[in-house]
Amino acid sequence: MISRLAKPYSNPYLAGVGLGLVLLAAFVVMGRGLGASGAFASSAAGVVSSVAPSHARANPYFARYLGGGGPWLDWLLIEIVGVAIGGFLSALVAGRLRVDIERGPRFSNRARLTTAFVAGGVMGLGAVLARGCTSGQALTGGALLSVGSWLFIVGAFAAAYAVAPLVRRAWI
């Protein structure tokens, strides 16, 4: 087994500037912002369309993902594939590529995975209800000065500060 030291994490301010430049490039090159939850909705529409095409076309939620090049060529789906590949390459270059479950000392692996799955489900439900996930609302909507997105950002930060003390106990 090859052992090498992991490189330090990037400066968060420089990473933020880099993310802003990626968002700007997405607007300039693709004409669209960044997001994530739309990729899962597009995938669900693609799966439903391949199993029951008439049902997918008749369903207003899925039908909106079936136009254009189809659900498998949706910008957000391609973006998420790029995010996964980029994350893998970044971890490989930084020496952090490993199979592990990040958790605090008070969490078992099972509890950590259950919590992550339930919390992911809640986030997904929230993204459907809010018509966009955290990245779509905060990055893309915020950059477009959408009032709803800015209200979301304020609410998300308020909720994060309110819940942080509880979560911190589990991690320390």
Side-chain angles (χ1 to χ4, degrees), residues 5-11 94 96:
L5 296 175
K7 294 181 181 175
Y9 288 106
S10 299
N11 180 311
R96 291 193 179 86

Side-chain angles (χ1 to χ4, degrees), residues 1-171:
M1 179 174 195
I2 298 173
S3 175
R4 59 182 218 196
L5 296 175
K7 294 181 181 175
Y9 288 106
S10 299
N11 180 311
Y13 300 108
L14 291 177
V17 169
L19 182 58
L21 292 174
V22 168
L23 178 61
L24 178 63
F27 277 121
V28 171
V29 175
M30 298 305 299
R32 296 189 57 186
L34 302 175
S37 59
F40 296 100
S42 184
S43 297
V47 169
V48 171
S49 179
S50 64
V51 174
S54 60
H55 177 72
R57 283 191 302 275
N59 184 306
Y61 183 76
F62 292 134
R64 66 183 167 158
Y65 295 99
L66 301 177
W72 303 115
L73 295 177
D74 184 70
W75 154 246
L76 292 177
L77 186 60
I78 294 169
E79 175 208 313
I80 290 300
V81 170
V83 167
I85 292 170
F88 177 84
L89 292 176
S90 175
L92 182 66
V93 169
R96 291 193 179 86
L97 190 61
R98 65 183 188 283
V99 176
D100 192 14
I101 299 171
E102 299 272 345
R103 61 179 180 81
R106 297 179 188 179
F107 260 90
S108 67
N109 286 345
R110 182 185 198 130
R112 173 67 174 108
L113 293 175
T114 301
T115 303
F117 183 78
V118 171
V122 170
M123 288 289 293
L125 178 63
V128 170
L129 293 175
R131 301 184 67 189
C133 61
T134 307
S135 54
Q137 289 284 354
L139 292 175
T140 301
L144 296 174
L145 301 178
S146 166
V147 173
S149 293
W150 279 97
L151 288 173
F152 168 82
I153 293 167
V154 170
F157 272 90
Y161 277 105
V163 175
L166 298 173
V167 175
R168 188 169 189 264
R169 277 192 235 153
W171 283 90

